[in-house]
Structures are given as structure tokens and as C-alpha cells.
Tab-separated table of all heavy atoms in Angstrom:
chain	number	residue	atom	x	y	z
Z	175	GLY	N	104.190	111.634	97.151
Z	175	GLY	CA	103.764	112.811	97.901
Z	175	GLY	C	104.302	113.063	99.329
Z	175	GLY	O	104.593	113.997	99.703
Z	176	VAL	N	104.268	111.798	99.914
Z	176	VAL	CA	104.800	111.743	101.263
Z	176	VAL	C	106.226	112.206	101.284
Z	176	VAL	O	106.749	112.977	102.170
Z	176	VAL	CB	104.582	110.407	101.949
Z	176	VAL	CG1	105.441	110.303	103.380
Z	176	VAL	CG2	103.149	110.106	102.243
Z	177	SER	N	107.016	111.634	100.391
Z	177	SER	CA	108.472	111.922	100.333
Z	177	SER	C	108.781	113.363	99.999
Z	177	SER	O	109.779	114.005	100.509
Z	177	SER	CB	109.105	111.052	99.287
Z	177	SER	OG	108.704	111.349	98.010
Z	178	VAL	N	107.837	113.938	99.258
Z	178	VAL	CA	108.001	115.427	98.957
Z	178	VAL	C	107.770	116.191	100.244
Z	178	VAL	O	108.611	117.154	100.554
Z	178	VAL	CB	107.078	115.874	97.822
Z	178	VAL	CG1	107.026	117.423	97.705
Z	178	VAL	CG2	107.383	115.273	96.537
Z	179	LEU	N	106.871	115.910	100.978
Z	179	LEU	CA	106.598	116.702	102.208
Z	179	LEU	C	107.684	116.400	103.159
Z	179	LEU	O	107.996	117.296	103.962
Z	179	LEU	CB	105.284	116.197	102.896
Z	179	LEU	CG	103.873	116.673	102.051
Z	179	LEU	CD1	102.714	116.097	102.626
Z	179	LEU	CD2	103.787	118.211	101.988
Z	180	THR	N	108.141	115.297	103.264
Z	180	THR	CA	109.223	114.917	104.341
Z	180	THR	C	110.621	115.433	103.826
Z	180	THR	O	111.524	115.356	104.645
Z	180	THR	CB	109.248	113.577	104.543
Z	180	THR	OG1	109.419	112.733	103.470
Z	180	THR	CG2	107.902	113.115	105.292
Z	181	SER	N	110.680	116.022	102.633
Z	181	SER	CA	112.090	116.355	102.103
Z	181	SER	C	112.397	117.688	102.669
Z	181	SER	O	113.499	118.050	102.506
Z	181	SER	CB	111.960	116.420	100.579
Z	181	SER	OG	111.184	117.496	100.002
Z	182	MET	N	111.551	118.395	103.362
Z	182	MET	CA	111.667	119.655	103.938
Z	182	MET	C	111.883	120.749	102.856
Z	182	MET	O	112.581	121.868	103.229
Z	182	MET	CB	112.805	119.622	104.987
Z	182	MET	CG	112.756	118.617	106.044
Z	182	MET	SD	111.157	118.847	106.948
Z	182	MET	CE	110.949	117.225	107.704
Z	183	SER	N	111.522	120.423	101.703
Z	183	SER	CA	111.612	121.620	100.618
Z	183	SER	C	110.304	122.234	100.524
Z	183	SER	O	109.299	121.738	100.188
Z	183	SER	CB	112.012	120.853	99.330
Z	183	SER	OG	111.936	121.806	98.211
Z	184	ARG	N	110.405	123.508	101.008
Z	184	ARG	CA	109.195	124.305	100.920
Z	184	ARG	C	108.717	124.601	99.491
Z	184	ARG	O	107.519	124.630	99.168
Z	184	ARG	CB	109.265	125.604	101.683
Z	184	ARG	CG	109.464	125.420	103.255
Z	184	ARG	CD	109.982	126.688	103.871
Z	184	ARG	NE	111.212	127.033	103.526
Z	184	ARG	CZ	112.007	127.958	104.072
Z	184	ARG	NH1	111.679	128.412	105.323
Z	184	ARG	NH2	113.250	128.181	103.736
Z	185	ASN	N	109.707	124.880	98.653
Z	185	ASN	CA	109.385	125.028	97.116
Z	185	ASN	C	108.691	123.816	96.643
Z	185	ASN	O	107.881	123.923	95.810
Z	185	ASN	CB	110.679	125.383	96.406
Z	185	ASN	CG	111.192	126.735	96.747
Z	185	ASN	OD1	110.493	127.542	97.226
Z	185	ASN	ND2	112.535	126.927	96.571
Z	186	GLY	N	109.217	122.651	96.928
Z	186	GLY	CA	108.607	121.352	96.438
Z	186	GLY	C	107.201	121.199	96.995
Z	186	GLY	O	106.357	120.762	96.150
Z	187	VAL	N	106.973	121.562	98.228
Z	187	VAL	CA	105.585	121.309	98.732
Z	187	VAL	C	104.610	122.371	97.998
Z	187	VAL	O	103.471	122.049	97.729
Z	187	VAL	CB	105.546	121.659	100.261
Z	187	VAL	CG1	104.219	121.666	100.768
Z	187	VAL	CG2	106.388	120.578	100.985
Z	188	ILE	N	105.081	123.548	97.790
Z	188	ILE	CA	104.259	124.629	97.176
Z	188	ILE	C	104.032	124.234	95.744
Z	188	ILE	O	102.714	124.372	95.296
Z	188	ILE	CB	104.970	125.992	97.170
Z	188	ILE	CG1	105.002	126.533	98.645
Z	188	ILE	CG2	104.261	126.928	96.409
Z	188	ILE	CD1	105.822	127.770	98.816
Z	189	SER	N	104.909	123.729	95.098
Z	189	SER	CA	104.739	123.183	93.769
Z	189	SER	C	103.671	121.997	93.695
Z	189	SER	O	102.809	121.959	92.834
Z	189	SER	CB	106.026	122.687	93.095
Z	189	SER	OG	106.935	123.707	93.030
Z	190	LEU	N	103.752	121.192	94.738
Z	190	LEU	CA	102.880	120.089	94.750
Z	190	LEU	C	101.473	120.453	94.987
Z	190	LEU	O	100.503	120.099	94.382
Z	190	LEU	CB	103.338	119.107	95.857
Z	190	LEU	CG	102.377	117.927	96.205
Z	190	LEU	CD1	102.248	116.974	94.910
Z	190	LEU	CD2	102.957	117.077	97.267
Z	191	LEU	N	101.244	121.477	95.932
Z	191	LEU	CA	100.020	122.014	96.198
Z	191	LEU	C	99.371	122.737	95.013
Z	191	LEU	O	98.172	122.682	94.722
Z	191	LEU	CB	100.042	122.940	97.421
Z	191	LEU	CG	100.448	122.154	98.799
Z	191	LEU	CD1	100.567	123.235	99.868
Z	191	LEU	CD2	99.461	121.110	99.104
Z	192	VAL	N	100.211	123.561	94.420
Z	192	VAL	CA	99.681	124.332	93.222
Z	192	VAL	C	99.300	123.459	92.103
Z	192	VAL	O	98.230	123.561	91.510
Z	192	VAL	CB	100.629	125.289	92.728
Z	192	VAL	CG1	100.315	125.996	91.457
Z	192	VAL	CG2	100.980	126.400	93.828
Z	193	ALA	N	99.998	122.371	91.813
Z	193	ALA	CA	99.816	121.375	90.679
Z	193	ALA	C	98.532	120.623	91.113
Z	193	ALA	O	97.647	120.443	90.167
Z	193	ALA	CB	101.035	120.523	90.561
Z	194	SER	N	98.351	120.410	92.294
Z	194	SER	CA	97.139	119.624	92.750
Z	194	SER	C	95.927	120.444	92.526
Z	194	SER	O	94.874	119.946	91.977
Z	194	SER	CB	97.224	119.145	94.157
Z	194	SER	OG	98.404	118.288	94.406
Z	195	ALA	N	95.995	121.766	92.824
Z	195	ALA	CA	94.864	122.607	92.695
Z	195	ALA	C	94.438	122.831	91.235
Z	195	ALA	O	93.335	122.735	90.899
Z	195	ALA	CB	95.187	124.004	93.321
Z	196	VAL	N	95.585	122.939	90.355
Z	196	VAL	CA	95.222	123.150	88.994
Z	196	VAL	C	94.619	121.930	88.271
Z	196	VAL	O	93.689	121.970	87.500
Z	196	VAL	CB	96.575	123.373	88.223
Z	196	VAL	CG1	96.404	123.439	86.748
Z	196	VAL	CG2	97.142	124.851	88.666
Z	197	VAL	N	95.281	120.665	88.619
Z	197	VAL	CA	94.626	119.412	88.113
Z	197	VAL	C	93.222	119.224	88.686
Z	197	VAL	O	92.399	118.730	87.821
Z	197	VAL	CB	95.629	118.154	88.423
Z	197	VAL	CG1	94.853	116.911	88.049
Z	197	VAL	CG2	96.929	118.497	87.684
Z	198	GLY	N	93.044	119.519	89.886
Z	198	GLY	CA	91.806	119.290	90.361
Z	198	GLY	C	90.648	120.164	89.875
Z	198	GLY	O	89.536	119.826	89.407
Z	199	THR	N	91.002	121.548	89.563
Z	199	THR	CA	90.175	122.396	89.004
Z	199	THR	C	89.783	122.000	87.606
Z	199	THR	O	88.632	122.128	87.098
Z	199	THR	CB	90.703	123.816	89.043
Z	199	THR	OG1	90.978	124.215	90.389
Z	199	THR	CG2	89.806	124.835	88.334
Z	200	ALA	N	90.857	121.489	86.857
Z	200	ALA	CA	90.685	121.237	85.418
Z	200	ALA	C	89.756	120.023	85.284
Z	200	ALA	O	88.876	119.952	84.443
Z	200	ALA	CB	92.037	120.758	84.850
Z	201	LEU	N	89.897	118.905	86.185
Z	201	LEU	CA	89.040	117.802	86.203
Z	201	LEU	C	87.563	118.161	86.582
Z	201	LEU	O	86.706	117.554	86.004
Z	201	LEU	CB	89.536	116.813	87.151
Z	201	LEU	CG	90.911	116.100	86.842
Z	201	LEU	CD1	91.365	115.151	87.852
Z	201	LEU	CD2	90.727	115.449	85.424
Z	202	ALA	N	87.381	118.991	87.492
Z	202	ALA	CA	86.167	119.485	87.905
Z	202	ALA	C	85.396	120.095	86.754
Z	202	ALA	O	84.186	119.891	86.606
Z	202	ALA	CB	86.172	120.379	89.202
Z	203	ARG	N	86.072	120.978	85.978
Z	203	ARG	CA	85.424	121.708	84.910
Z	203	ARG	C	85.212	120.754	83.783
Z	203	ARG	O	84.177	120.937	83.122
Z	203	ARG	CB	86.357	122.937	84.539
Z	203	ARG	CG	86.530	124.002	85.638
Z	203	ARG	CD	87.132	125.262	85.053
Z	203	ARG	NE	86.318	125.874	84.054
Z	203	ARG	CZ	86.604	126.895	83.299
Z	203	ARG	NH1	87.673	127.600	83.633
Z	203	ARG	NH2	85.737	127.480	82.410
Z	204	HIS	N	86.111	119.882	83.557
Z	204	HIS	CA	85.947	119.133	82.284
Z	204	HIS	C	84.854	117.920	82.631
Z	204	HIS	O	83.950	117.784	81.765
Z	204	HIS	CB	87.296	118.336	82.091
Z	204	HIS	CG	87.342	117.720	80.725
Z	204	HIS	ND1	87.028	116.402	80.480
Z	204	HIS	CD2	87.637	118.268	79.503
Z	204	HIS	CE1	87.270	116.245	79.212
Z	204	HIS	NE2	87.597	117.363	78.577
Z	205	GLY	N	84.929	117.364	83.775
Z	205	GLY	CA	83.685	116.537	84.271
Z	205	GLY	C	83.587	115.178	83.531
Z	205	GLY	O	82.592	114.570	83.487
Z	206	THR	N	84.692	114.736	82.719
Z	206	THR	CA	84.560	113.545	81.951
Z	206	THR	C	84.556	112.212	82.754
Z	206	THR	O	84.150	111.105	82.383
Z	206	THR	CB	85.545	113.473	80.869
Z	206	THR	OG1	86.810	113.578	81.430
Z	206	THR	CG2	85.334	114.651	79.806
Z	207	LEU	N	85.283	112.400	83.947
Z	207	LEU	CA	85.516	111.087	84.760
Z	207	LEU	C	84.363	110.824	85.609
Z	207	LEU	O	84.320	109.708	86.189
Z	207	LEU	CB	86.746	111.350	85.606
Z	207	LEU	CG	88.063	111.480	84.840
Z	207	LEU	CD1	89.227	111.676	85.810
Z	207	LEU	CD2	88.379	110.241	84.006
Z	208	GLN	N	83.398	111.709	85.759
Z	208	GLN	CA	82.065	111.438	86.551
Z	208	GLN	C	82.523	110.981	87.905
Z	208	GLN	O	83.304	111.754	88.584
Z	208	GLN	CB	81.320	110.441	85.888
Z	208	GLN	CG	80.896	110.857	84.537
Z	208	GLN	CD	80.106	109.671	83.771
Z	208	GLN	OE1	79.911	108.570	84.302
Z	208	GLN	NE2	79.764	110.089	82.439
Z	209	TRP	N	82.068	110.000	88.383
Z	209	TRP	CA	82.269	109.545	89.789
Z	209	TRP	C	83.698	109.205	90.113
Z	209	TRP	O	84.315	109.249	91.148
Z	209	TRP	CB	81.448	108.365	90.213
Z	209	TRP	CG	81.604	107.150	89.427
Z	209	TRP	CD1	80.986	106.828	88.371
Z	209	TRP	CD2	82.578	106.195	89.703
Z	209	TRP	NE1	81.591	105.564	87.864
Z	209	TRP	CE2	82.584	105.134	88.697
Z	209	TRP	CE3	83.588	106.000	90.725
Z	209	TRP	CZ2	83.360	104.072	88.732
Z	209	TRP	CZ3	84.339	104.896	90.762
Z	209	TRP	CH2	84.227	103.909	89.684
Z	210	LYS	N	84.392	108.785	89.030
Z	210	LYS	CA	85.831	108.326	89.274
Z	210	LYS	C	86.710	109.520	89.631
Z	210	LYS	O	87.814	109.277	90.161
Z	210	LYS	CB	86.288	107.552	88.057
Z	210	LYS	CG	85.542	106.411	87.562
Z	210	LYS	CD	86.158	105.717	86.348
Z	210	LYS	CE	85.386	104.381	86.030
Z	210	LYS	NZ	84.020	104.740	85.638
Z	211	GLY	N	86.270	110.694	89.268
Z	211	GLY	CA	87.128	111.829	89.727
Z	211	GLY	C	87.276	111.906	91.147
Z	211	GLY	O	88.287	112.471	91.779
Z	212	TRP	N	86.187	111.445	91.968
Z	212	TRP	CA	86.274	111.395	93.390
Z	212	TRP	C	87.409	110.461	93.916
Z	212	TRP	O	87.893	110.540	95.066
Z	212	TRP	CB	84.973	111.056	94.004
Z	212	TRP	CG	83.931	112.110	93.863
Z	212	TRP	CD1	82.885	112.221	92.862
Z	212	TRP	CD2	83.796	113.304	94.579
Z	212	TRP	NE1	82.209	113.257	93.025
Z	212	TRP	CE2	82.714	114.013	94.027
Z	212	TRP	CE3	84.435	113.853	95.678
Z	212	TRP	CZ2	82.250	115.185	94.442
Z	212	TRP	CZ3	84.072	115.048	96.148
Z	212	TRP	CH2	82.999	115.749	95.590
Z	213	LEU	N	87.748	109.574	93.047
Z	213	LEU	CA	88.758	108.575	93.465
Z	213	LEU	C	90.169	109.322	93.772
Z	213	LEU	O	90.934	108.956	94.526
Z	213	LEU	CB	89.104	107.570	92.279
Z	213	LEU	CG	90.210	106.618	92.456
Z	213	LEU	CD1	90.007	105.697	93.764
Z	213	LEU	CD2	90.349	105.700	91.294
Z	214	LEU	N	90.401	110.538	93.125
Z	214	LEU	CA	91.540	111.250	93.270
Z	214	LEU	C	91.638	111.990	94.725
Z	214	LEU	O	92.679	112.324	95.146
Z	214	LEU	CB	91.616	112.379	92.269
Z	214	LEU	CG	91.768	111.828	90.779
Z	214	LEU	CD1	91.864	113.037	89.884
Z	214	LEU	CD2	92.928	110.864	90.631
Z	215	ALA	N	90.405	112.035	95.317
Z	215	ALA	CA	90.406	112.552	96.661
Z	215	ALA	C	91.225	111.578	97.653
Z	215	ALA	O	91.515	112.000	98.832
Z	215	ALA	CB	88.994	112.732	97.251
Z	216	ILE	N	91.305	110.342	97.315
Z	216	ILE	CA	92.045	109.484	98.069
Z	216	ILE	C	93.586	109.858	98.273
Z	216	ILE	O	94.144	109.536	99.194
Z	216	ILE	CB	91.908	108.011	97.592
Z	216	ILE	CG1	90.407	107.572	97.602
Z	216	ILE	CG2	92.846	107.054	98.395
Z	216	ILE	CD1	90.191	106.234	97.068
Z	217	LEU	N	94.110	110.520	97.205
Z	217	LEU	CA	95.463	110.775	97.113
Z	217	LEU	C	95.960	111.721	98.211
Z	217	LEU	O	96.794	111.436	99.018
Z	217	LEU	CB	95.793	111.344	95.748
Z	217	LEU	CG	95.584	110.434	94.548
Z	217	LEU	CD1	95.949	111.093	93.280
Z	217	LEU	CD2	96.373	109.019	94.848
């Protein structure tokens, strides 16, 4: 993630942010990981 941000590619950063939002939303709605889903907030 750090290397994507420092690559200076705006398209890459936007792709990373959109993918993170989609995965986070899907996990929140699915809810199978319970407390472990909060582990992803470390990323």
C-alpha cells in the first residue's frame, strides 16, 4: 500500500481506495469475521 501511494500514480491510488471501500463494505455486510474484521483497520 505504501509503495502504491509513493508511486505517484493517481489512478493507482484511486483504484486502491475504491477497492478498499468495496471490500470493507462487503465484510461489514457479511459479518462473518466478527471482531476479526476490525483487524483490517490496522492496514
Side-chain angles (χ1 to χ4, degrees):
V176 171
S177 68
V178 169
L179 290 175
T180 56
S181 69
M182 304 304 159
S183 172
R184 292 168 294 195
N185 291 336
V187 174
I188 293 173
S189 299
L190 177 61
L191 295 177
V192 171
S194 300
V196 171
V197 172
T199 302
L201 290 175
R203 295 192 62 180
H204 199 262
T206 57
L207 293 179
Q208 299 176 1
W209 63 266
K210 297 181 180 66
W212 291 101
L213 175 60
L214 298 179
I216 297 177
L217 299 180

